[in-house]
Amino acid sequence: MNILLIGAPGAGKGTQAEKLSQLLALRHIASGDLFHKAFEEQTELGLKAQRYVDLGELVPDEITIPMVMLHIEEPESMQGVILDGFPRTLAQSQVLDAELLRINRQIDLAIHLKVSREELLSRLAGRVFCQVNQHVYHIKFRPPKVADRCDLDGSKLYQRPDDAGEAMRRRLVIYFNQTFQVLDYYSRQNKLREVDGNSSIDSVQAMLLSVVNDYTGRETRV
Ligand code: AP5
Ligand code: MG
């Protein structure tokens, strides 16, 4: 099974995909995390992409599409994937479909995690990551046990630079301008499902699981 999680910056894609991937035994592939990792490793791709990420702009398709496709075609992805943050444009959706068809696979569900603008702003403003493994917290909604330290590896927590100021505003504008085309594309294929992402992490997870269970006819539980 291959699932897309579509949602605005701060909607909870990463938070939910991490849990769902464990429950459903699907690989979680997040385009933003891949860019971050490539930058940390100072690869040519990472350095090129970072210029766009810092400004809150989309990284060009000729960099983004091959990077994500490479991960989808790896052996660890053969049992299925949850894509988080990709596709974000109509062109990315079309190439993804064509490339999947080539390897006899397809997108099963495109789930739209819908969150109000006010909630997005407060999620982004309070989000912090750990320096070592990028574990995600929120100072109010998912606080670490010890202030400023990761529960899992003890490393210091930091705020993503593009979660504030002009870059954050740019990301929201681009999302609302571009992504309706992606929603429309999957809606025409009857693959689009909508989930209200405004409630607690656990209740959003339960709603997502119920969408997947409806589709598979099986009963995976939390
Ligand atoms: P990316 O990293 O994908 O950023 P994004 O799409 O803007 O999404 P976020 O990661 O900010 O939000 P999320 O939905 O994962 O929320 P999270 O779970 O962390 O992309 C970064 C950049 O890379 C882009 O700007 C672009 O430059 C580039 N890029 C990436 N993909 C690209 C593509 N396909 N094409 C071109 N360029 C691309 O949750 C947010 C916070 O809220 C956390 O603190 C969390 O603890 C909290 N939270 C989560 N759920 C809840 C809840 N239900 N209740 C309360 N708090 C919650
Ligand atoms: Mg994310």
Side-chain angles (χ1 to χ4, degrees):
M1 187 162 53
N2 301 297
I3 299 176
L4 305 181
L5 267 191
I6 304 168
K13 302 181 294 295
T15 303
Q16 296 298 336
E18 195 187 314
K19 287 166 173 270
L20 271 188
S21 80
Q22 287 165 9
L23 289 168
L24 301 168
L26 301 173
R27 185 179 183 198
H28 173 200
I29 298 177
S31 42
D33 296 354
L34 295 179
F35 287 132
H36 180 82
K37 189 162 172 277
F39 180 68
E40 289 287 296
E41 292 168 356
Q42 297 280 293
T43 64
E44 196 188 331
L45 182 148
L47 295 170
K48 258 192 204 159
Q50 194 65 20
R51 280 185 283 156
Y52 299 92
V53 173
D54 282 346
L55 293 171
E57 298 287 338
L58 291 183
V59 179
D61 284 350
E62 59 270 25
I63 302 179
T64 307
I65 295 174
M67 175 189 74
V68 177
M69 284 315 304
L70 197 74
H71 286 78
I72 295 177
E73 292 184 24
E74 284 172 349
E76 305 92 285
S77 304
M78 284 309 145
Q79 78 278 31
V81 293
I82 300 182
L83 296 183
D84 151 6
F86 180 92
R88 256 174 160 88
T89 62
L90 184 59
Q92 290 181 6
S93 311
Q94 288 165 335
V95 176
L96 175 66
D97 265 4
E99 292 287 311
L100 286 177
L101 190 66
R102 195 174 52 77
I103 53 172
N104 266 324
R105 289 165 64 182
Q106 59 157 358
I107 294 303
D108 293 282
L109 287 171
I111 307 178
H112 177 201
L113 210 48
K114 209 171 167 197
V115 174
S116 72
R117 199 185 156 82
E118 202 184 20
E119 181 71 20
L120 293 173
L121 292 175
S122 74
R123 288 187 190 176
L124 290 173
R127 174 164 69 170
V128 280
F129 292 87
C130 84
Q131 259 161 359
V132 172
N133 289 303
Q134 306 306 309
H135 295 124
V136 185
Y137 297 87
H138 190 283
I139 50 172
K140 212 156 98 198
F141 306 136
R142 200 195 213 185
K145 292 191 185 101
V146 176
D148 269 350
R149 292 280 160 192
C150 176
D151 293 353
L152 301 171
D153 58 38
S155 69
K156 217 171 146 34
L157 303 179
Y158 74 97
Q159 194 187 24
R160 223 165 88 172
D162 62 340
D163 274 354
E166 192 48 43
M168 183 267 285
R169 281 188 284 278
R170 197 71 203 120
R171 285 162 63 207
L172 287 170
V173 166
I174 290 175
Y175 174 82
F176 288 108
N177 283 342
Q178 296 255 358
T179 312
F180 73 94
Q181 293 179 323
V182 176
L183 298 175
D184 186 52
Y185 179 80
Y186 291 105
S187 163
R188 285 168 193 269
Q189 296 185 25
N190 288 322
K191 291 180 178 171
L192 188 69
R193 307 286 185 277
E194 205 154 271
V195 163
D196 179 356
N198 289 294
S199 47
S200 72
I201 293 175
D202 288 347
S203 70
V204 174
Q205 194 193 151
M207 287 187 268
L208 287 170
L209 260 187
S210 122
V211 166
V212 174
N213 288 340
D214 273 354
Y215 176 79
T216 59
R218 288 200 294 269
E219 190 62 16
T220 303
R221 287 167 189 266
V222 179

